[in-house]
Amino acid sequence: MRHMLVIAALTLFTHMAANAQEVQMTGDRMLETLRSGHPRLFVDDATWDRIRERRKVDANFDALVTGIEADAAAVLETEPVVYQKTGIRLLHVSREALRRILLLAFVYNLNGDDAYLQRAEAEMRSVVAFKDWNPSHFLDVGEMAAAVAIGYDWLYDGLDPAFRDEVRATLWDKALAYPFDPQWTERLWWMHGENNWNSVCYGGLTMAMLVVAEDDPARAAEWLEMVRKGNPLALAEYAPDGVYPEGPGYWTYGTSYQVMLIAALESALGDDMGLCDPPGFMQTGAYPLQVLGPTGMSYNYSDGGAGRRMDPALFWFAQRTDTPALVAKEMPRDWSSTGKGRERLLPLAAVWWSMMDPADDISIDLPRYWQGRGKQPIAIFRSSWADPDALFLATKGGSASLNHGHMDAGSFVLEANGVRWAADLGAQNYNSLESRGIDLWNKNQDSDRWRIYRIGPFSHNTLTIDGKLHRVKGHAPMIAFSDDQESPGVRYDLSEVFEGDAERVLRVFEYDENSKTVIVNDTLAGVKPGAIVRWAMMTPAEIELNGASAQLTKEGHTLTARIIEPETAVFESISAAPPADYDAPNDGYQLLIVNVPAPESGKIKIGIGLRVE
């Protein structure tokens, strides 16, 4: 037995030694392809000439760069950020540091004005001197590491050599040390997670590692192996069609860092490590366009707002996939509106835009009827890509159990004539809830999370039964989709969402752009006799009730809602004012509802027609 243990120990030692040697060999190979000198992240020495030349021939591009210059000039008049947490987060400070350093470094490289170099160095000195970057909320570390790494890399030649050494040491101590520290590794759940934290934290730390890799090539190689194994867990969420389960708001966040991670690897090492290969990821560049309504608002399911911020990552997708139409809504923006509220990664849009051919045709040639399969399936229908008054219907299935999920399976938004008739209220500020002791991130069925008006089922355009919550773990798959021009539509099976309250629940959307009509058909079976099934639609419009019909008016336009069945049902309207004092107000919104009691058979059919005049 002892002899066998010795053999086993020797085998294990040999295996460990071989692994260590392999890691070192990987490190050596990495250093062979690592770009010597700086910059390494996203740009090279030719980038700035390319941007200057593009400005001469592209008015929209010149307007973007002019806006970046104005934003950077405004930063010159500010004091560096200070360490100030909001609740559990330092995130707003990390993001502001990234915004400022990226702006200043971009303009310094473009124009050579030392004032921008000095101000960027002052910003970096401030955050380098912080006691920590708040590792207990590791997103803060990820974004701060990105900020400091980009500043160090893009400003390398202009920085004081002694300060460069201090920056390198800080990147190791305040960011890169944690994944190698046994006391922290179990706390870094995002390394094995599937959501936006994975992309942000792996992205920020990889940028940091790439600019200091020479310090410890074996550890740098070990980190890249962690990225190679752990980051694809987040990439798998895009399968198979590019839909982001966390919604378009978190698409911008997670995907921006995912793109930065890949772009940094490509620029520094000439290798994306296979991170572009997972199904759905390279298709996800079309997702923000598909969920964007003609009003300019997104289909804001999950935690997010309907407002559409600029997405620099789309320029990377456009040039990387040779699909210039992906930035058709981005290029013509009004770039003159400057200020800290703008996208903090804006200079990267200029970097990737400059790589595109000015002669590219950016007209949108994407399907008008589109299904996005996956964990949070959606189906989109629109009558036109060019008409701001187009009829637009966006629908979803999915599950509340997904990251940032709401109890909104079966929900939809509807736009026509430039009005969003059926709306989603979106997310509530997290700190406003956490500061009240709300257990916001608990996904159990009885969690506080589902009592938040904007998150639970009662504010969403879907069904509820007897005023009960949806089943958190229930999943509503898309079971049929038609993009036939004669009969487009989609069907979801909501049965699991109502487990215990109904045996079978199907929701079908029929879309008719010719008559500007959408019909929502619900079929339920196995409902307890006497239970009340509520159909609901959140709207910012004024509602005039007339029994089985209702007229909604807004901005001089009209939508008529009609109950097709049951014949005895009538419309009601109720306030969208939330029931609890911790809920955000919802001024200007109300709910159009239909209450239907279940008969003895337990079978119910509800058909609602929505027609735009």
Side-chain angles (χ1 to χ4, degrees):
M1 180 67 176
R2 178 175 180 145
H3 180 66
M4 293 177 64
L5 290 174
V6 169
I7 293 175
L10 287 172
T11 302
L12 177 61
F13 176 80
T14 302
H15 178 70
M16 292 174 64
N19 282 349
Q21 185 178 12
E22 183 180 350
V23 167
Q24 184 61 54
M25 290 175 61
T26 304
D28 291 341
R29 288 197 297 269
M30 183 196 72
L31 288 178
E32 289 176 1
T33 62
L34 181 69
R35 183 187 293 176
S36 61
H38 297 273
R40 294 174 183 169
L41 304 179
F42 317 124
V43 301
D44 55 27
D45 292 336
T47 299
W48 313 108
D49 286 337
R50 187 172 64 243
I51 289 173
R52 295 184 193 103
E53 292 303 310
R54 181 71 182 240
R55 296 184 75 175
K56 297 175 183 178
V57 299
D58 188 333
N60 284 328
F61 181 79
D62 180 59
L64 166 61
V65 179
T66 300
I68 292 171
E69 290 172 329
D71 284 349
V75 174
L76 295 178
E77 307 302 319
T78 65
E79 294 296 320
V81 295
V82 297
Y83 192 101
Q84 185 176 20
K85 291 170 67 174
T86 299
I88 63 173
R89 297 172 179 82
L90 187 70
L91 192 54
H92 67 291
V93 177
S94 298
R95 290 173 171 175
E96 179 61 8
L98 175 57
R99 185 187 78 88
R100 294 179 179 189
I101 291 169
L102 192 52
L103 284 169
L104 295 163
F106 179 93
V107 173
Y108 170 69
N109 278 280
L110 195 63
N111 298 340
D113 187 336
D114 284 345
Y116 294 92
L117 169 65
Q118 294 163 9
R119 181 63 186 81
E121 183 172 329
E123 201 73 44
M124 293 173 67
R125 286 185 181 276
S126 179
V127 300
V128 163
F130 283 3
K131 62 179 182 178
D132 58 43
W133 291 343
N134 199 33
S136 62
H137 189 259
F138 213 85
L139 284 179
D140 311 7
V141 177
E143 295 223 39
M144 194 70 85
V148 174
I150 293 171
Y152 173 86
D153 187 56
W154 286 19
L155 302 172
Y156 184 88
D157 290 336
L159 295 174
D160 176 73
F163 181 56
R164 290 203 302 253
D165 292 342
E166 186 178 354
V167 171
R168 296 171 78 91
T170 301
L171 285 172
W172 283 105
D173 294 343
K174 292 187 169 70
L176 296 173
Y178 291 100
F180 303 96
D181 183 346
Q183 297 183 24
W184 272 89
T185 49
E186 289 188 5
R187 300 172 63 180
L188 302 183
W189 58 265
W190 52 266
M191 295 186 70
H192 311 288
E194 301 172 341
N195 60 30
N196 66 84
W197 282 61
N198 180 309
S199 297
V200 174
C201 297
Y202 272 122
L205 266 63
T206 299
M207 286 179 248
M209 186 65 83
L210 290 171
V211 301
V212 299
E214 302 95 329
D215 292 349
D216 191 337
R219 184 158 285 191
E222 188 177 351
W223 171 251
L224 290 179
E225 285 304 306
M226 294 180 190
V227 175
R228 195 191 308 273
K229 293 176 181 178
N231 184 233
L233 295 172
L235 291 166
E237 296 297 283
Y238 295 89
D241 299 318
V243 170
Y244 200 61
E246 300 176 53
Y250 276 95
W251 182 96
T252 295
Y253 190 32
T255 308
S256 292
Y257 268 88
Q258 189 62 55
V259 162
M260 286 197 289
L261 167 56
I262 293 170
L265 290 170
E266 291 178 325
S267 63
L269 302 177
D271 184 358
D272 68 8
M273 299 199 324
L275 298 182
C276 290
D277 297 341
F281 180 69
M282 294 307 291
Q283 290 75 44
T284 199
Y287 167 79
L289 265 181
Q290 288 289 359
V291 297
L292 186 66
T295 63
M297 293 188 287
S298 290
Y299 179 26
N300 54 319
Y301 64 89
S302 297
D303 284 340
R308 180 75 173 84
R309 297 188 68 169
M310 190 267 176
D311 274 321
L314 289 178
F315 288 91
W316 181 85
F317 280 108
Q319 60 89 19
R320 188 69 160 67
T321 64
D322 192 25
T323 314
L326 298 181
V327 290
K329 299 290 187 180
E330 306 292 342
M331 285 184 171
R333 283 177 177 266
D334 178 7
W335 300 108
S336 63
S337 177
T338 62
K340 64 181 293 184
R342 287 219 285 197
E343 169 54 52
R344 61 189 176 283
L345 304 177
L346 198 60
L348 294 181
V351 170
W352 294 321
W353 187 343
S354 72
M355 298 178 182
M356 299 175 64
D357 187 337
D360 281 339
D361 178 8
I362 63 168
S363 57
I364 300 176
D365 185 22
L366 295 173
R368 291 190 297 106
Y369 305 156
W370 181 76
Q371 66 168 329
R373 297 162 295 171
K375 291 183 177 180
Q376 201 81 282
I378 62 174
I380 309 288
F381 306 87
R382 72 180 74 230
S383 59
S384 170
W385 278 105
D387 184 2
D389 293 331
L391 181 67
F392 173 81
L393 171 68
T395 69
K396 73 178 295 293
S399 174
S401 66
L402 298 170
N403 196 48
H404 291 288
H406 289 198
M407 288 185 171
D408 61 356
S411 191
F412 65 99
V413 298
L414 178 65
E415 294 182 5
N417 294 335
V419 175
R420 175 158 288 191
W421 298 100
D424 192 305
L425 296 173
Q428 180 172 340
N429 176 272
Y430 300 152
N431 189 61
S432 71
L433 296 165
E434 292 167 339
S435 63
R436 298 289 297 274
I438 301 296
D439 191 5
L440 185 58
W441 305 109
N442 184 335
K443 293 291 186 69
N444 291 331
Q445 185 66 38
D446 60 352
S447 167
D448 289 345
R449 178 174 179 83
W450 315 119
R451 269 88 184 162
I452 307 304
Y453 184 68
R454 294 191 179 191
I455 297 176
F458 308 115
S459 68
H460 290 105
N461 303 330
T462 187
L463 301 173
T464 52
I465 299 177
D466 267 352
K468 296 181 181 180
L469 298 174
H470 289 180
R471 302 302 299 174
V472 174
K473 295 182 179 180
H475 175 68
M478 182 192 303
I479 58 174
F481 170 82
S482 172
D483 57 2
D484 188 306
Q485 297 295 314
E486 298 301 318
S487 57
V490 62
R491 175 177 298 183
Y492 298 99
D493 185 348
L494 309 184
S495 301
E496 285 188 12
V497 174
F498 294 99
E499 183 180 353
D501 294 303
E503 295 175 2
R504 183 79 164 160
V505 181
L506 298 178
R507 169 159 276 200
V508 179
F509 294 91
E510 300 175 13
Y511 175 88
D512 186 347
E513 63 184 52
N514 295 320
S515 64
K516 292 188 175 182
T517 299
V518 169
I519 297 176
V520 186
N521 286 311
D522 296 310
T523 304
L524 300 87
V527 182
K528 181 180 177 181
I532 303 297
V533 177
R534 193 191 80 166
W535 185 101
M537 186 179 92
M538 181 70 67
T539 182
E542 294 295 323
I543 300 175
E544 181 181 334
L545 301 174
N546 186 22
S549 68
Q551 189 174 72
L552 281 62
T553 56
K554 187 171 176 62
E555 299 173 6
H557 299 287
T558 301
L559 178 145
T560 299
R562 179 173 59 90
I563 300 174
I564 301 170
E565 58 180 330
E567 294 181 353
T568 57
V570 296
F571 280 116
E572 302 174 52
S573 63
I574 60 174
S575 170
D581 62 357
Y582 50 71
D583 282 309
N586 306 306
D587 298 339
Y589 287 89
Q590 54 188 323
L591 281 162
L592 179 68
I593 67 171
V594 180
N595 286 313
V596 180
E600 287 298 320
S601 68
K603 297 180 179 180
I604 297 176
K605 288 187 177 181
I606 303 174
I608 307 294
L610 304 170
R611 179 171 182 171
V612 180
E613 305 300 330

